[in-house]
Amino acid sequence: MKQTIKAILLFALTVSLTADLQAQGLKMPQPSTSQTVTQNFGLGKITLNYSRPNVKGRKIFGDLEPYGSVWRTGANSATTVSFTEPVKIDGKELPAGEYGLFTIPGKDEWTVIFNKGAKQWGSYEYKEADDALRIKVKANKLKDKVETFTIQFTDVYPTTAKLQLMWENTGISVDMTTEVDATVMASIDAAMKGEKKPYFQAAQYYYANDKDLNKALEWATAADAADGKAPWIKLLKGRIQLKTGDKAAAAKTAASGLQLATEMKNPEYVRLHTQLLNEAKK
């Protein structure tokens, strides 16, 4: 009850001060700046909203932010994170939706919480009963001090990524994965039944994800037949040929692509085809 009253008073004070400043026509920077980070992930998108306090000479974890207590994971309103598609957090299912991102800092281990109560000030009204997911992660000591609290996405691949939090001399990392293969494969199958077949994109996906290389080569060849002046198509075709073990065919395709790229004065594809040609000649 005391925490609820405190939250209401703090919120009322903030609203009052903001309204007063607006009435006076004043514009002032926030002590803890806000940031929105949007990251494409799998077939969906992740959006993160948080405020970024600074160390300002203080001791943060174990002092300003006590060990063992729920933290808003930033400043001002609780940090929120939304997913447009279901994901797995440290191997555990998390449905699409918006969540409050709370944490419980510890000296050696943190608890990371995705809570259904996304819209609240601080963590004063946090309810464990509303937790959608909790995981524990290792706390790492950072080599360099991070003055401004930072949340970022790192090691981002089509189906895996890390959510990283850093402040003062402490950092944590949360593993995220998403499943897209079944959806993409069904989409390719459906598209290939239509009039305008996405040969290049389908071959690209099959090549990158170790699918049927014969089918990938068939589609890349069809794409090349439709547009024989595209060095990027020849590059994909040559790479597939090389992956199947047909070095002679890959070298021939690379040489053709190199000639096109040279005529187009495209240094990137000159370099890529030269590299492919060298690999095919080994």
Side-chain angles (χ1 to χ4, degrees), residues 52-79:
R52 309 182 66 193
N54 292 300
V55 174
K56 296 189 290 189
R58 302 171 294 183
K59 174 163 177 52
I60 303 301
F61 298 114
D63 190 350
L64 180 67
E65 300 301 337
Y67 292 139
S69 296
V70 175
W71 179 40
R72 73 187 81 186
T73 319
N76 303 325
S77 297
T79 293

Side-chain angles (χ1 to χ4, degrees), residues 192 197-207 216 219-224 230-237 240 269:
M192 284 301 175
K197 296 175 173 55
Y199 289 121
F200 179 72
Q201 293 85 351
Q204 205 170 33
Y205 186 81
Y206 267 50
Y207 169 75
W219 288 337
T221 301
D224 189 31
W232 47 89
I233 295 178
K234 291 193 183 297
L235 181 66
L236 175 61
K237 180 180 176 180
I240 295 171
Y269 280 96

